[in-house]
């Protein structure tokens, strides 16, 4: 296949990722929303489990760790969206993860960043600091919550990176089980809170459709990335996905009535540019 359609597909994936996050931020009940979003995720995982062989025994601890990190990420994301603006939280959370992953690669594998990646680290630090500050002070609870979200993104990314590599060619089987174990606690907790499985759906039809649709969008966005990885280098795909931070800022301005200042745009540009440099320089 030619490169241009694949690039456009990855950019569409970035748009879809930012969009479901915007729906979550705007939701009046974010806990219920993530539980409903986990329903299509769990169904997709079950479909994968039925058709794919079991992962090797030695990766099951990583599967459980990945699921735990994803659940923790979801909880941190809900907390972050409760206390901060979408256009601030999303770029910080997405931007800090490649920074932490680079640090993990250095500590765990002795991989020193290249010159390009080092400049990327500087750009991300400058961008996040600019987004984090309100005058000369940190922006309340929103910045720590966004940083914690980014920590868990980096955690499950690193865990899955090792897990897929150690799965003896059955990476999709690994991911299916990890997603199943991540979705079951979310669905189960919300179902219990709502008085049972049927209670989850006792909401206006439009809200139910939006929540389930957001879960489907999240799954499709990930599927597009997996498909693109068959035709483009991983660093290129990851770099293109970072455009979601700028898209998120624009969505926050257009639909959530958040301010779009030159300072915030410049900071987001630094974060995105830094992430691109890190991933292309890897």
């Amino acid at each position: 296949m030619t490169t241009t359609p694949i690039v456009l597909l990855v950019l569409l994936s970035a748009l879809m990722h930012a969009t479901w996050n915007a729906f979550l931020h705007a939701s009046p009940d974010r806990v219920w929303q993530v539980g409903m979003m986990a329903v299509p995720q769990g169904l997709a995982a079950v479909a994968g489990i039925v058709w794919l062989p079991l992962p090797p025994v030695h990766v099951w601890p990583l599967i459980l760790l990945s699921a735990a990190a994803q659940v923790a990420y979801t909880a941190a994301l809900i907390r972050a969206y409760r206390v901060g603006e979408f256009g601030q939280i999303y770029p910080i959370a997405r931007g800090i993860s490649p920074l932490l992953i680079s640090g993990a690669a250095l500590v765990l594998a002795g991989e020193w960043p290249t010159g390009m990646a080092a400049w990327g680290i500087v750009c991300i630090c400058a961008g996040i600091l600019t987004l984090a500050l309100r005058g000369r002070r940190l922006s309340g609870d929103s910045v720590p919550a966004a940083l914690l979200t980014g920590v868990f993104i980096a955690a499950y990314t690193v865990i899955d990176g090792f897990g897929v590599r150690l799965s003896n060619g059955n990476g999709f089987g690994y991911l299916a089980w990890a997603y199943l174990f991540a979705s079951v606690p979310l669905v189960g907790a919300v179902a219990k809170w709502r008085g049972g499985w049927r209670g989850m759906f006792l909401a206006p039809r439009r809200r139910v459709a939006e929540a389930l649709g957001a879960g489907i969008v999240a799954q499709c966005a990930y599927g597009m990335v997996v498909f693109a990885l068959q035709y483009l280098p991983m660093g290129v795909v990851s770099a293109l996905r970072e455009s979601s931070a700028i898209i998120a800022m624009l969505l926050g301005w257009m639909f959530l009535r958040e301010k779009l200042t030159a300072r915030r745009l410049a900071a987001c540009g630094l974060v995105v540019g830094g992430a691109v440099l890190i991933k292309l320089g890897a």
Side-chain angles (χ1 to χ4, degrees), residues 32-66:
W32 171 82
Q33 173 107 1
V34 297
M36 293 297 291
M37 287 180 63
V39 172
Q41 175 179 304
L43 293 175
V46 169
I49 288 167
V50 169
W51 291 101
L52 296 168
L54 281 173
V57 175
H58 58 267
V59 301
W60 282 95
L62 294 177
I63 289 174
L64 297 176
L65 281 175
S66 173

Side-chain angles (χ1 to χ4, degrees), residues 11-143:
L11 293 176
L12 177 60
S13 171
L15 171 62
M16 293 169 71
H17 191 277
T19 299
W20 75 254
N21 272 268
F23 270 103
L24 179 59
H25 186 279
S27 174
D29 190 344
R30 299 183 185 94
V31 175
W32 171 82
Q33 173 107 1
V34 297
M36 293 297 291
M37 287 180 63
V39 172
Q41 175 179 304
L43 293 175
V46 169
I49 288 167
V50 169
W51 291 101
L52 296 168
L54 281 173
V57 175
H58 58 267
V59 301
W60 282 95
L62 294 177
I63 289 174
L64 297 176
L65 281 175
S66 173
Q70 290 183 58
V71 173
Y73 151 73
T74 302
L77 186 64
I78 292 171
R79 167 64 180 169
Y81 283 163
R82 185 178 296 145
V83 298
E85 290 188 345
F86 181 56
Q88 179 194 44
I89 296 297
Y90 190 94
I92 292 177
R94 296 299 302 178
I96 195 67
S97 58
L99 190 65
L100 294 173
I101 291 169
S102 296
L106 174 60
V107 173
L108 299 176
E111 297 178 2
W112 286 86
T114 64
M116 183 183 293
W119 277 110
I121 291 171
V122 172
C123 288
I124 288 179
C125 290
I128 288 177
L129 186 62
T130 303
L131 283 169
L133 291 176
R134 181 175 296 167
R136 295 185 178 181
R137 297 181 179 180
L138 289 177
S139 301
D141 295 333
S142 59
V143 174

Side-chain angles (χ1 to χ4, degrees), residues 155-222:
Y156 73 70
T157 300
V158 171
I159 293 168
D160 288 346
F162 282 110
V164 169
R165 291 179 186 179
L166 295 173
S167 293
N168 300 333
N170 188 24
F172 283 107
Y174 166 92
L175 291 173
W177 282 100
Y179 281 131
L180 179 66
F181 288 145
S183 60
V184 166
L186 297 175
V187 175
V190 174
K192 184 177 181 180
W193 174 51
R194 285 293 186 112
W197 175 260
R198 294 181 63 183
M200 289 184 64
F201 292 86
L202 292 179
R205 290 183 179 179
R206 180 179 176 180
R207 285 187 59 202
V208 171
E210 287 178 351
L212 292 174
I216 294 171
V217 166
Q219 290 300 302
C220 289
Y222 176 73

